[in-house]
Amino acid sequence: MEVPQNIQHQLNQFQQLQQQAQAVTVQKQNVDIQIQETERALEELKKTESGAEVFKTAGNLLIKVDRDEVNEELEEKLETLQLREKTMARQEERVMKKLQEMQTSIQEAMQQNSAE
């Protein structure tokens, strides 16, 4: 049985949307990992005394930095990452909803086509 062109077009769009959903999911997972790493760094930083030596990586180097500045920098980074994660979650939700709608539409079109 040959698939009509309009259904084939919908299937192609569905595949593209699946790829987009997968990309968004991977990006969201990466942001989640960065959030976890930043939270762990902040937790470790809070365990240190205020006068303790703190270093951060810059490429292959470790550079001595002010503890309070690094703390502030990490808190800002965490806030930015959390905002980005919320945005990615909303985008993922929209794409998944669209995928479900397209799947239903394709199934209905296939059933109508097979009934003809």
Side-chain angles (χ1 to χ4, degrees):
M1 178 175 99
E2 190 174 312
V3 179
Q5 191 165 352
N6 66 327
I7 295 176
Q8 186 62 46
H9 179 69
Q10 284 182 324
L11 287 170
N12 290 340
Q13 285 182 321
F14 185 76
Q15 286 177 330
Q16 288 174 348
L17 200 56
Q18 280 180 318
Q19 290 172 350
Q20 183 181 351
Q22 188 175 12
V24 168
T25 300
V26 168
Q27 289 174 351
K28 185 176 171 285
Q29 288 171 344
N30 288 337
V31 170
D32 288 338
I33 289 168
Q34 289 179 32
I35 287 172
Q36 291 171 1
E37 290 173 351
T38 304
E39 287 174 338
R40 275 195 302 270
L42 277 166
E43 285 173 23
E44 289 301 317
L45 197 57
K46 287 177 183 169
K47 292 177 186 177
T48 63
E49 296 176 16
S50 65
E53 288 187 338
V54 177
F55 298 86
K56 77 175 188 178
T57 58
N60 293 330
L61 301 173
L62 283 177
I63 298 175
K64 186 176 177 180
V65 291
D66 181 70
R67 180 188 173 279
D68 294 334
E69 285 179 22
V70 170
N71 190 56
E72 187 177 319
E73 189 178 301
L74 286 173
E75 287 176 353
E76 287 176 10
K77 179 179 180 180
L78 181 61
E79 190 177 317
T80 301
L81 287 169
Q82 288 170 336
L83 212 111
R84 189 166 172 217
E85 191 272 337
K86 286 179 186 175
T87 302
M88 300 298 293
R90 283 195 303 267
Q91 186 176 359
E92 182 181 43
E93 192 178 302
R94 281 193 303 268
V95 170
M96 296 309 259
K97 184 179 177 189
K98 181 73 173 162
L99 269 174
Q100 288 175 336
E101 290 170 359
M102 284 187 77
Q103 184 175 9
T104 303
S105 173
I106 290 169
Q107 287 172 341
E108 289 172 359
M110 293 289 277
Q111 286 174 352
Q112 286 178 353
N113 187 53
S114 63
E116 291 175 359

